[in-house]
Each structure stands twice: as structure tokens, then as C-alpha cells.
Amino acid sequence: MKNIKKKSDKKVKKKKTNLQKFIRKSTDKVGLPPGTLVHVGRYKLDKVGIEIFNYNKDSLIEKKIDILNTEEFSVDKYFPTLVNSNLMWVNMEGVHRSDIIRELGKFIDHNMLVLEDILNTTQRAKAEIYDGYIFLVLKMLSYNENNDEVEDEQVSFILGKNFVFSIQEGKEGDVFNPIRDILRKENSVIRKNSSDFLLYFLLDVIIDNYFIIIEKLGEKIEILEDELINKPTSITLNKIYSLRREILFVRKCVWPLREAITAISRDETLLIHKKTEGYFRNIYDHLLQIADTIETLRDMVTVMSEIYMSHLNTKMNEVMKVLTLIGTIFIPLTFIAGVYGMNFEYMPELKSPYGYPVALIGMSFIGLFMLVFFKLKKWI
Amino acid sequence: MKNIKKKSDKKVKKKKTNLQKFIRKSTDKVGLPPGTLVHVGRYKLDKVGIEIFNYNKDSLIEKKIDILNTEEFSVDKYFPTLVNSNLMWVNMEGVHRSDIIRELGKFIDHNMLVLEDILNTTQRAKAEIYDGYIFLVLKMLSYNENNDEVEDEQVSFILGKNFVFSIQEGKEGDVFNPIRDILRKENSVIRKNSSDFLLYFLLDVIIDNYFIIIEKLGEKIEILEDELINKPTSITLNKIYSLRREILFVRKCVWPLREAITAISRDETLLIHKKTEGYFRNIYDHLLQIADTIETLRDMVTVMSEIYMSHLNTKMNEVMKVLTLIGTIFIPLTFIAGVYGMNFEYMPELKSPYGYPVALIGMSFIGLFMLVFFKLKKWI
Amino acid sequence: MKNIKKKSDKKVKKKKTNLQKFIRKSTDKVGLPPGTLVHVGRYKLDKVGIEIFNYNKDSLIEKKIDILNTEEFSVDKYFPTLVNSNLMWVNMEGVHRSDIIRELGKFIDHNMLVLEDILNTTQRAKAEIYDGYIFLVLKMLSYNENNDEVEDEQVSFILGKNFVFSIQEGKEGDVFNPIRDILRKENSVIRKNSSDFLLYFLLDVIIDNYFIIIEKLGEKIEILEDELINKPTSITLNKIYSLRREILFVRKCVWPLREAITAISRDETLLIHKKTEGYFRNIYDHLLQIADTIETLRDMVTVMSEIYMSHLNTKMNEVMKVLTLIGTIFIPLTFIAGVYGMNFEYMPELKSPYGYPVALIGMSFIGLFMLVFFKLKKWI
Amino acid sequence: MKNIKKKSDKKVKKKKTNLQKFIRKSTDKVGLPPGTLVHVGRYKLDKVGIEIFNYNKDSLIEKKIDILNTEEFSVDKYFPTLVNSNLMWVNMEGVHRSDIIRELGKFIDHNMLVLEDILNTTQRAKAEIYDGYIFLVLKMLSYNENNDEVEDEQVSFILGKNFVFSIQEGKEGDVFNPIRDILRKENSVIRKNSSDFLLYFLLDVIIDNYFIIIEKLGEKIEILEDELINKPTSITLNKIYSLRREILFVRKCVWPLREAITAISRDETLLIHKKTEGYFRNIYDHLLQIADTIETLRDMVTVMSEIYMSHLNTKMNEVMKVLTLIGTIFIPLTFIAGVYGMNFEYMPELKSPYGYPVALIGMSFIGLFMLVFFKLKKWI
Amino acid sequence: MKNIKKKSDKKVKKKKTNLQKFIRKSTDKVGLPPGTLVHVGRYKLDKVGIEIFNYNKDSLIEKKIDILNTEEFSVDKYFPTLVNSNLMWVNMEGVHRSDIIRELGKFIDHNMLVLEDILNTTQRAKAEIYDGYIFLVLKMLSYNENNDEVEDEQVSFILGKNFVFSIQEGKEGDVFNPIRDILRKENSVIRKNSSDFLLYFLLDVIIDNYFIIIEKLGEKIEILEDELINKPTSITLNKIYSLRREILFVRKCVWPLREAITAISRDETLLIHKKTEGYFRNIYDHLLQIADTIETLRDMVTVMSEIYMSHLNTKMNEVMKVLTLIGTIFIPLTFIAGVYGMNFEYMPELKSPYGYPVALIGMSFIGLFMLVFFKLKKWI
């Protein structure tokens, strides 16, 4: 069965043109009353993967479960009971099962709006601060080397006093491995600190990946610049435009995130500790830097399309000029030949034995003169 | 009589070009003192349809009345008296009768400015918060599949402690059916909650329809992009420009609505409960997302017209280049033919039996040489 | 004497090009110390028209006086003494006599800055709130059907506790007739209310006229659009640019007015009553709507000039293409004819009786082939 | 010696291209520690002119001194001691002597930053409010009729409780004469008021001159518009671009000044009296008006360059079209002539006595037909 | 070993294209947990140079140490112990050794985020205010005369109560020599003041260098303008675009710095004394001036590329026009020659002895006529 799935997945992916990156089907929900938990998304996996890290300074219990689409899920069955100082990180992959998401509602007073947002993978990055928990949703970007495209995956975070949930849209793989490694080390910085610290680490690793995307885009620009100088074709222009769109896409992910991070770092609940605030400001600084660079990239791409146009014009003009020049030199000569091709009976030149060579020499002379004249005028 | 009406309606609709979508006749009122209740609008129906939902947690009384243009209307006659915890939703279709709107004034202290705004269907989206009631006006967008155009209908809302009025401009049909269904279910979420909750549901369903419009526009862009790549004509450009206008129109509806929703969610009267505020913020988030996407669409359309122009130029240039090339190759050859067409008596080549073939071969050679030269120069 | 005046007026009007609408002579005052009362303006009438409405709920005394330029003016002589609840509206036409304006200073503590602003008809719209009175200056727009142009006239308002002054630049006619009619009705809404209410009515009627201007501009755009599609000439472009300027001019009048109205509606003096504030906010909403529409019009005009350019290009390109095509088809044929016009003695084809028809057929064939080829390439 | 100076002055002026107006040598100071008093400027006069007005309501003592570059200067020697209600206005021309400026430091607690700013004539307009004095620096603009250029001169003001210093960069002449005249009148408005009032008058007269500049620029635009319509050359474009730069230059002077004036009018020290605040707001309004007009001028100039381009294109296109048309008409005719110039032995037409006239008529007919065809197609 | 280093350094530099100035490798850190101290930068020197100035009003001890990459570093070993009123300025060159930077952590409570930022040379300019110290990072710009490019070097500052650290990226040379000279003078302004004063002097000297960069860019623009007028080539356009990028780069350095300086000058800790605040505002003013000028430069460069394009077009058009004119004059003449080259037997003109001269004269006449006609039409 998995085989069939994969195939249809591919099809979906294939249809996902550039445009659909921007406006994804969020109309599945239209007509339904608000608060209805419906999955809106591209991926429909055949299971939900759940990782649970139950840790404190001294101990760590790691658990990994796969909930098949046919299985039931209950928080009580799978999640550990948190004792005193213990913290829990739950990392889920797959948001296609609304019943599972509904179960998570137990941790956040069954706040339907939040659960809806988790299920809807077309969210704009935002942070919402509630009593007792913070909800954050953003896009995790990765670079697909196969089709040379930036890909996005939605990740929702719920930060509670003693838990962090990270709920991914569920493409294979994520960027959290460094965090897992740190967690597994006894007495590591995360183990020693509160839950907001874990959230910071998770965000930091996602934002770090934005830098990679930026660099990839930068490399693409460099390659295109080379192409632009050496052998620009109309494909180059298409590439420029598609790159421009990709930059806009990344921009659309980063822009609202800045506000979200500001909201968190200014949070006045006790979830974000004084100490961690500086760290979130640090993330904010990174986002500013990324935003700056995106603007620069955008500007560069704009200039590139201008250069392309001017290059095209210049080249075309050169060709037309040379062609017209050739024509212009021969037209008067042809006229002279035409004159001596007239059939008047009394044309003295025609009788002269020197007529022909003189005509030839004269025509050469005129042609040469025009060449020199055009050269002097810098038209050639 | 209805028949005649329909016809003139069509005429009006036909005249309603793109431009009139933006600046609708609001000059009917010029010269009248402010506070004069005059209908300003496109549609003049022959009746006003009124639906009344009188409900509380346990019971629901639904009533539907049509007030013909010849009939009188009085609130006391048609509207139920609200007892204790009962809530009332009144949904009207048709704003062409100022006397009916004036009657509604009874619920809002005869606030003439509000009544005027309800009658004037050229409003910018806005919210006004008064003592005891909130007034909200916005555009409901729908996609007309017949003429492939976005259509708008003005809806005014009045939210009171125990009533919600929704007053539609009065085209046939609306998007409120899901709300009606929920209302009819006993103990449903709306039935259990206060009037602001009903308003939220009504708004949510309208905003959801904005997403559909956005997607339709997105599809149009995709179709145009295909056309642009495969066989762009000057009609394509016209379509691009008309699409651009449509996007601007939707933008003009969404932009001011954001402020209006903010105003409501920050309301400090007791009409919007603490609990519902989050819901209105949710609507605000949706509007941000829509606004974002509109900007993206705008950008895309701009790029498309640029691509069209560059494509046109490139194609034209190609044609001119090939044509000029052909000319350029034959002009020197014609000159040679002209030379040997001269009538000089002493042209030794003419006498030679090899003259003709040598000339032909020479000309072919020159032609070929030019072809190769142009090829090498990448001009062909 | 009036006759002569009219003539010179016309001359002035004629010279008033588009540009001068934007930067009107305000240099008359340069070099004079600030606070010097000097008239700066285009119109210099031969009299000042004064209308005085002295009213309360029950009674209205209406007076109309013309002060010739040779007559003296004194407030005490012409203005009524206001008893208890009586209100006074003074409407003046003509600001060319600084002595009259200076007399009005009696009502506003001889505030020279305000008097200066009234005399200077090149003001940017603004509101200034003083102790005991509010000063507001704005442009009244009207559409001159004769020369198809938007015309402006400056109006200054002074709102006091029991008086409103409206001082017009003094072109013939104004838009206040509806207000006069209401005033004359006993027990009418203005008669029953305080002075700020009268100011609101006066402003409302001026702003209503802005809508007419907007619609006129809209109509112009529609006409130009038709012209653009059917037979665009270089005059069309000039019209587009001049329309653009007109839109900018209206924009320049509306933009600062928004701030001014906000300032008034937020006034904390007791001149604007709580109740009237809502009305001023209503005017503000209208201004927003007008500003929105102006932006749309601007955008449309920009697009129109783009379309014009692209249209011009396309048309030109079409012409050049066809012309070049004709040339390109005949140039090779001419070459062939040239070949058989060569005078070589041994050209076997020339002797053959089929030579001529074969050549003709061959040439037709080549010509046809090229036509078909170009057709297939979609160059024709 | 003065003669030599003048000459070198001219040279400097000549080199002062448009660009240098924007980025003037301010690198003279690089490497020096901050607080070092060094003159940075274009003009280095051979004397410093000082005017001192020592006045109160009843009396005025006017003094004029020239400090040659070889002379020493000391405040105690030249400046009067201020008794009670006396005010002093000191107007200096020339900022090339840092020792004199340093002497002035006595009045402002030897504030090095202010003294530095006075000496550096490349300042951006700004106001700084200190304890006991206000420092304001701005550009005085004048129009040089000789080279048709806007010229700027820096003026620094120091406003103290009982003195105003105005320190000019020191080109010949200033705009303060009206102020001097008012001062000399007994009981005049300045004489009766505090020092801030004098500052207001000085500023007002400078800002008034901005209006003249604006009008001059407006006139230039009108002249260029005429030129654009009647006989546009490539020089016209250069003029447009240079005018654009000039407008940008004025804008750069006005823009920051607005903030500076706001800062002064909001000053909470006691230097600016409640009463004068309104006057400074008045100046601010003027600046807004100037800024508005500058934006309009900018827009106009942009449109002008667009019109120029489109005009150029249109004209060029017309020429090319006509030329190509002529060619296109004759090419087929030449082909026909070529056909009958072929040397086939058996061409029956050649034998016929009607051949020649028929051919001629045929060709005329074809030519005419093409002419008519092109005419119908509106290509001519 | 140093030799090898140098070489590889060069390679790196060479690869550092324009683009890499904007997006520098910051991906080295991706995957590492936040707070890991890793050097991210272009330069990897073989030593870290440390200068220590230990001073008070009366005495100065200057020390210079080079820490080779193989040597260990410890603050206790190299740094003096600060007694009472003594201040310390530590200037480091080279940030490639994270262990040294970690040691500095002792002065700032081991704040990992700050240490990370110092090691990462891809920072956006920013200021962070902590308890007891201020962290400031910015770019020091210098102009490389060899490759005519603006180069940047990151400098981090840490301001404590009695120390200032300035940590440079470590290219050879800096701009601090004037500061060193002042420090060495007994009783100099820095020696007499607190640490914030030293920071101000260091910043001032860096900002002063920005002015030099701006002027260099201004000179480049002037040179390019000359080139543009005298002999524009496609290289000119490339230069314009590369200059544009350079301006954008400087802008990117200056823009965020303004905020950082504002943050410092508004600091409410006791590190920045009331007195010094004015100085920081002074720096802010300079940055505003620089930012203004950069915008002007940007605008100029944009106009330059427009001028280039228009120039190119004009020139090309001129050439094409002349060429087409030549063709157009000869084509009808060639046609006439063709007519008399026809072989009809009965062409009376051919027999006439005047035929030939008349034809020649006729053709000259037609040619002349066309020339005159084109001249009158101003096409030549």
C-alpha cells in the first residue's frame, strides 16, 4: 500500500508548481464552521511518527512510536506522566490525523483555534501567547538538490511549563539531530535548563538552515551571473524570473517570523525566563540579517534581468547594424551596375575599352570610401 | 413587472465595467444634507427578504418573510420580542428601501450615520464601536463563473447584546448556509454562546470565501502563464492587465478590513467577550495571510507583463534578424549579377565560355561564406 | 468696469497652466515681515460679498451685503450682536481686501497668523486649534465643463462657540445652497444644534463634491481607455499625462485634509461636542475612500500609459515586419532576374525556348515557398 | 591681494560640479580627533564681517566691524555688555577663522561639538537643544541668475535668552535686510519681543526664499516643457536630468529642516515662549508645503523624461517607417524591371511594340496599389 | 609557513566576488548547538596581535604582544590588574582563535552570545546593552586602491566601566592611530575622561572613514559620468552596475549602525555618561548625513544607467537612420536604371542620343530631391 501512496505523492509534488508554493489549497475548509478540525495539507502519510524525550538534569528516557493510520491514539497510553522537575519534548511527524491532534488538546485546554492552526499547513508564521502555553508556527526550509528548489515544511511548536511539542508536517527527515545529540549528553545545557531553552535550541537550528538556503540562492545567482556574461539565452531570463520567485518565497517565510519572535521575546508570562529572552533576541538578530540579505538578493536579481535586457538589445543592435551596413554599401554599387546595364544606344562609356575596368575600380573605390567613412564614424 | 426589472438589471450589469467596480456612483447623495437616508447602489430588488432566527440554547424559532416594495414594514409587527436569554439573528437581503432601514434604527438609538452607511453600498470596509452596539461593513466576494469575474456584495453587520443584524446588498444567494445549519442543531456552539460568537461565525465564513477568490485568481494566473509561454498574443496582455485590476480590486476590499477587525478585537465595550477576542484575532491572521498572497499575486502579474514585453521584443527581433539576414546575403550577389549585366563592349569575362559557370559558382561561394560567417558569429 | 475685469480675469485664467495649479505665486510676500496682511491670490474681485445668517432654533435673520472695493467695512456696523443662544454663520466671498480680514480678527484675538493664512490662497489644507476657536483651511473643488478641468477655490473656516465664518476665495458660486435651504427650515437639524454641527454640514457638502470630481476623472479615464483601444494617437498620450497631473492635483488637495479632519475630530476643546465627533469621523471615512479611489485612478493611468507604449511598439513592429517581409521576398527574386540579365555569351538557358517560362515559374515558386515558410513560422 | 583671491574663488566655483553640491569635501577633518576646530568649506574670505544689533524696546545700537584675517578677535573687545532687558543680534559673515568661532564658545559653555558644526559647512540641517541655548543649522538658498543654478550657503543660529547669533558661510549678501529694517523701527514687533521672536523672523525670511527657488525651478520646468513639445534635442534630456538633480538638492536641504523645526517648536526649555511656538509651527507648515511642491516637481520631471523618450521613439519610428515604405514600394518594381532585363532569347513580350508601355503602366499600377494599400492600413 | 598562508589568503580574496561581500559563509556554524564558539570568517592569521593601553590622567603604560597560533593565552598573564581610576583599552587583531575570545569572556560574565558574535565576522551592525557592559559590533570600511574596491573589516567593541575592548577581524592596519596619539599625550581629553569617551573617539574615527569612502564613490561617479558623456561602451554599463552594488554594500553597513548608535545614546545604564550622550548623538548625525548622501549616490547611479540606455538607443537610431536613408535614396534610382535595362525592342528612349544623359540627369535630380526632402523633414 505504501507503494501506491508514494506514487500519488509524486504526482502531487509534480503538480506543485511555483505558484502553488504561494497559495496552497486552503479551501478544503471553506463552508465548515470554524473550530472544525480538518487537515489541510499536501502530505498524507500512512503513519504518524512520535518521539518522546522525557528528561531532567540526571536522566533521559527516549521513546519512539509509529501510529499507523488504522491505530487509535491516546495521550494517556503513550505519553509519560511528568513528575516534578521532569521535562518532556514530544516531536511528531505527520499532521493528517485530526484525532491525534485533538488528543494533544488536553495540554492546552482544548484550544480549538490552536489545534486548527496545527492541522492547517498553510499558516503564516505567527506566535500566540496564551495562559500557560505559547503557540508558535513557522516554516522549516530545506533545499532539494534533485529539483534545485527550496522546499518548506510547516512546524508548530507548543511551549508549556514542562513540555515542548514540535509538530512537523511530516516530510521525511528534519534538522533536529544536533538537539537530540545534546539532549542525550548528561548535564548538557538543555538538560540543565527549563523548557524555553529547548524551544530556543530548536528554533536556532531551524533558523541556521535559513542561512544555508540563502547561500544556495546566492550560489544560484553567481551561476546565473556567469551564464549572463558568457552566453545568455532566453532560458537565462526564465531562470532569473524563477529565482526571483524563490527569493520572494523565502522572504514570505522570514518576514512574518520576525514579528512572531519579537512577540515571544517580549512575552510577559513566566514561560520565557529573563535569561532566555536574550537568546530569542539573538534569533531575532539572525532573522534581521537574513531579511537584509534577501533584500540584497532581490535587488541583484532585478539588476540581472535589467542587464539581460540591455545585453539582448545591444547584441541585437550590433547584428542589425552590421547587416544594414553591408546592405548600405552594396546598394549604391548595384545602382551603378544598373546604370551601365541600361540599353541606351548612345552611351559612350560602353564603347570605350577602359569603361569596364574604370567602372570596376570606381565601384571598389566607392565601396572602400563608404567603409572608411563608416569606420571613422565609429559605426563599425 | 419582474421581467422588466431583470432586463434593466442586466443592462446595468453590462455597463458595470472594471472601472465602475472601483468608483461606483455615490454622487446620488451630493447636495442632500448629511443624515438623509437615500439608497445608493446598483441593485434595486422588488422585495426585501428577511430571515429571523430567534434562539437560545434550547429552542430555535425560524421565520422567513418577504416584504414586497408595496408593503409597509414595521419592526414591532415582524420582529419577535426578545425574552431574557434569547438571541436574535436577523438577515436581510435588499437595502433599497430606506423606510425599512429607518425602522431598524430603533435598535441603535436612531443613529443616522449608521443607517446612511447601510443604505450606501459604496462603503469602504470599516468598524464603528458605539455604546451598546458595534457597526461593521465589508464586502462579500464571490466568483461569477459566467463572466469570469470577481463580484462583490456589501454586507453590514450590527452587533448588539442580544441580536446580530446582517444586511446584504441583495444579490441572490449568500454564503451563510453553514451557519444556518449549525444554528439549527440543538446545543451547537453558536446556540450556547453570546451574540459576538455568531458574528464571528458569520465573518469567518465570509473571509473563507476570500480564500476561494484568491485561489481562482491564482488559477487564472497559471492559465495565463501557460498562454504566455505557448502562444502569447496581444489578448494575453489585455488579460494580464484586467487580471491585475481584479487583484487590485480584491486588495482594496481586504486592506481596510484588517483595520476594522483589529478595532473590533480591541473593543473595550462588553459586546466582544474576552473569549471571543482570540477568535477575531484569528480572522485577522487570515486577513494578513490573504493580504500577503495578494501582494504575491500582484508581483507575479507585474512580472508576467514584463515577460510578455521581453518575449514580444525577442520574437520581433528574431524575425527582423532573419529577414535582414536574407536580404544581406542576396544584396551583394545581386550586385555581382548587376556587374555582369552591364553593357560594356569590352568585358573579357563575358566572352569566355567559363564565365557564366564561374560567376554562378563564385556567387554561391560568396553566399555560403556569408552564411557560415553569420553562423559563426551566432547571428543565425 | 466689471467688463474690463472679466477680460483680464480670463487672461489670468488662460495663463494658469497645469503647472501653476501646483505652485502658485506665493512670492508676493517674500521680503515682507511675517504677520504682514497681504493678499496672495489669483482673483481680485471688485467687491466682497457677505451673507450673514443669525439664527436660533426658532428664528432666522438672513442678510446679504456687498462691500464695494471703495467702501469701508466695520464688523460693528454690519454684524449683528449675538444674544444668548443665537448662532451666526458669516459666509464671505473675496479675500482680496486685507482690511476686511483684519476686522474679522476681532473674533479671534487678532491672531495675525490665522489672518495671514486666510489672505494667502496658496495654503495646504490644515486645521489649527486655538483657545476659543478652530481654524480650518481647505480647497473646494469644482469641475469646469468648459475647459474640462478641475478647478479649486480656497475656503477658510473659523469655528467659534457661537459663530462659523466661511471665507471663500471668491469665484462665482459655491456649493452651500443645500445648507442654506436647511437653515431656512424652522426646527431643522442645524437650527437645533450648536455651531460645530453647522461646520460639519458645510464640510460634508464640500467633500461630497470631491466625489463628483472623482467620478468626472473616472469618466475621463473611461473615454481615454476607449480611445486607447480604438485609435490611439500621440494626443492620447498627452491626454493621459495631463489626466495624471489632474489626479495628482486632487490628491494633493485630499491628502493633507485627512490630517486636518483627524485633528478636529480629536479636539479636546469644548467646541466640537462629543456627539459631533462621530460626524467628523464620518467625513474622515469619506476622505479615506476618496484617497483610496485616487490611488486606484493613479494606478490605472499609469497602466494606460504602459498600454499605450506597448500598443505603439506592437503596431510599429507589425508594420516594419510586413514591410521587411515584402522586401525579403523580392530580393532573392530580383537576384535571379539579375543572373539572367547577365551578358555572358555562353549561357545555355538563355537560348532555350523554355528558359523564360521556367525562370518565371521558378521565381513564382521561390516566392510562394518563402510566403508559406514565413506563414508557418507565424511571421505573417 | 583680493584680486588673486577672486580668481581662485572662481576656479573653485567652476570645479564645483553638480555632484560636489551633494558630497562636499568633509574629509579635511578625517584623522583629527573630534572636537578639533577646523574650517571645512568652500569659501575662504579675507575678512570676517560682524554686525551687532544691541536693542531693547526703546533703543537700538547698531555696529558693523570687519575683522581682517590678520587681526585678532576677542568677544570682550567688540561685543557690548548686555544690561537687563537688552537683546543682542550678532550676524557674522565668514566661518573660516576657527579662533573667532572659538571665542563665541564663551556664550555656549565652550561646547566644542557646536563650534565644530559651525565651522563645518557640510552640515545636514538640524537643531540641538541645550541648557540655556538652542543651536540650529540650515541652508540658505539663493538663485544665481548667471549660471542658472541654485546656490546654498550654510547659516548657523545660536539662540540664547538674550542673544541671537546668525553665522553665515559668507558669500556676499544675505536675505536679512527686511529684518534689519524692522529692527530699526522703534517699538516694532521684534523690538518689543524676546529673542526667540527674532529667530523666528530670521528663519521666516530664509524659508520665504525657498519659495522663490521653488518658483524658479517651476519656471525652468515650464521652459523645458515648451522645449520638449517644440524641438526636443538630446540637450533637452541633459537639461531635464540636471534639473532633476537640482530639485533633489533642494529637497535634501528642506527634508531634514522639517525635523529641526519640529524639535524647536516642541522645545520644553523656556527659550521658546508659548506664544512663539505657534509661529514656529507656521514655519513648519510652510516647509510641508514646500516639500509637497518639491515632490510634485520631481514627479513632473520624471514624466518629462518619459515623454522625451516616447517622443524620440515615435519620431524615429516615423522616419524608419517612411523610409522602409519607400524601399518596399520600389523593390517589387525593380524586380519586374529585372525580369524584363533578362536576356532570354524567347521572351515574347519583348518583341511586342506594346510591351514597354504595358510594363510601365503595370509597374505604376502596382506602385499605386501598394501606396493605397499602405494608406488604408494607416501605415502612412 | 607564512608564505603558504599568504598564498591561500590571496586565493580566498580572489574568489571573494562582489556577491560574497553580501552573503558571507556563515554556514560553518549550522548544525552546531548555539553558544558553540566557532570562528566564522575570511581571514585566518597566524597570530593574534594585542595592544594594551593602561592609563589614567597621569600615567600610561603601553604594551604590545603577539600571540602565535601555537601559544596559549590567558587574561591573567597578559592583562594588567586595574587599580582604582585606571582605564584599559585592549585592541586585538584577529578573531580566529576561539580560546582567546573565550578568555575575554571573563570580563563579561562569560556571555556566550556576545563571544559568538565576536567570532562570527558576518554580523549586522548592532548594539546590545547588558548589565555592566555594552557590546557593539560594526564594519570598518577602507578603500583598497589596488583593486578599486571598498573593503570591510568587522570590529567588535566591549565597553565596561573601566575598559574598552576593540576586537578587529585582523586585516593589516587600522584607523586608530590618531587615538593612540591622543592617548599618549598627557592630560589629553581621553586620558581625563571615562571609558565611554574613548569608545566615542574610536567610533568617531571609524565613521570619519566612511566619509572618505563616500567621497571615493563620488569620485568614481564623476569619472563614470565623464566616460558616459565622452565614450560610453558596454564596459561603462558594467562599471555602473558594479558601482551600484558597492553603494548598496556601504548602505548595508551604515543603515543598521544608525539604530545601534541610537540604542547606545539612549542607554540608561551608567556606562554612557550624560555628557557623552551628546557626542553619540553627534555620531548619529554624521550617520544620517552619510545615509542621505548614499541615497543621493544611488539615485545618481540609477540615472546614469538610464542615460546610458538612452544614449545607446539614440546613437543606434542615428546610425540606422543614416544607413536606411542611403538605401532609400538609391533604391528608386536603381529601379529607374532597371527600367532602362529592360530588353523591350520598342523603347523609343533607348534610341534617342539624349536618352542616356537625360536619364542620368533625371536620376541625379530625383536623388537630390529626396536628399532635400529628407533634410527639410529634419531626418538627416
Side-chain angles (χ1 to χ4, degrees), chain D residues 17 19 22-23 25 27 31 33-34 122 124 126 241 244-245 248 309 340-343 350-351 353 356, chain E residues 178 182 200 215 218 222 225 285 289 292-293 296 299-300 303 306 310 317 335 342-343 345-347 349:
Chain D
T17 66
L19 190 63
F22 286 94
I23 23 166
K25 269 263 176 277
T27 44
T122 66
R124 202 172 175 266
K126 66 174 176 181
Y241 280 123
R244 183 155 175 265
R245 229 177 231 195
L248 279 182
M309 288 302 172
Y340 291 113
M342 294 196 294
N343 295 323
L350 296 183
K351 313 289 182 204
Y356 180 51
Chain E
I182 299 171
Y200 159 64
E215 255 179 72
E222 282 199 335
E225 274 187 336
D285 284 342
Q289 202 175 334
D292 261 27
T293 312
T296 308
D299 191 88
M300 280 173 180
V303 169
E306 273 175 38
S310 104
N317 282 351
F335 164 66
M342 295 195 293
N343 295 322
E345 278 184 6
Y346 308 97
M347 291 174 72
E349 298 99 317

Side-chain angles (χ1 to χ4, degrees), chain A residues 33-243:
Chain A
T36 320
L37 297 185
V38 181
H39 171 231
V40 179
R42 293 164 297 178
Y43 310 109
K44 206 174 162 66
L45 312 179
D46 46 2
K47 59 172 190 192
V48 172
I50 301 181
E51 275 177 299
I52 302 168
F53 292 80
N54 185 358
Y55 68 94
N56 60 21
K57 207 163 55 170
D58 309 310
S59 71
L60 167 78
I61 303 164
E62 202 177 329
K63 203 157 66 171
K64 213 174 158 167
I65 337 154
D66 280 355
I67 313 286
L68 293 182
N69 283 351
T70 50
E71 274 178 274
E72 290 246 339
F73 170 85
S74 119
V75 158
D76 301 328
K77 186 172 156 200
Y78 293 108
F79 282 25
T81 336
L82 289 177
V83 291
N84 281 354
S85 69
N86 266 27
L87 294 174
M88 171 171 73
W89 172 32
V90 178
N91 181 36
M92 279 178 58
E93 299 206 341
V95 290
H96 56 286
R97 281 189 53 190
S98 55
D99 58 326
I100 294 181
I101 302 301
R102 186 187 304 272
E103 271 288 299
L104 294 183
K106 284 184 181 166
F107 290 86
I108 53 169
D109 307 332
H110 301 285
N111 187 329
M112 282 300 149
L113 287 176
V114 167
L115 299 180
E116 239 187 300
D117 284 350
I118 293 173
L119 279 162
N120 185 342
T121 62
T122 66
Q123 296 296 319
R124 201 171 176 269
K126 66 173 174 180
E128 278 169 2
I129 291 154
Y130 293 96
D131 253 15
Y133 55 96
I134 290 176
F135 172 62
L136 174 71
V137 61
L138 52 83
K139 302 287 178 203
M140 184 156 76
L141 297 181
S142 60
Y143 195 79
N144 187 332
E145 300 282 354
N146 294 326
N147 59 2
D148 253 355
E149 262 187 16
V150 176
E151 289 192 348
D152 66 303
E153 182 177 358
Q154 181 160 311
V155 191
S156 306
F157 289 100
I158 298 171
L159 169 72
K161 199 174 147 42
N162 47 12
F163 62 86
V164 174
F165 290 169
S166 59
I167 303 154
Q168 307 178 31
E169 212 180 329
K171 286 197 329 173
E172 224 144 291
D174 60 29
V175 297
F176 293 154
N177 277 330
I179 311 302
R180 291 187 187 96
D181 292 343
I182 299 170
L183 258 178
R184 281 166 196 144
K185 262 180 253 156
E186 207 162 313
N187 237 324
S188 67
V189 68
I190 301 180
R191 293 267 285 273
K192 282 188 296 188
N193 280 285
S194 51
S195 59
D196 52 346
F197 214 81
L198 174 59
L199 178 63
Y200 160 64
F201 266 71
L202 292 169
L203 286 179
D204 187 80
V205 90
I206 288 175
I207 305 298
D208 272 2
N209 267 277
Y210 283 14
F211 280 106
I212 297 181
I213 300 298
I214 295 286
E215 255 179 72
K216 282 282 177 198
L217 294 176
E219 279 168 22
K220 270 192 173 181
I221 286 183
E222 282 197 336
I223 291 166
L224 271 178
E225 274 187 335
D226 279 359
E227 201 177 315
L228 200 59
I229 288 159
N230 297 325
K231 38 162 192 168
T233 63
S234 69
I235 298 164
T236 315
L237 189 63
N238 283 344
K239 281 186 192 163
I240 291 173
Y241 280 123
S242 108
L243 184 55

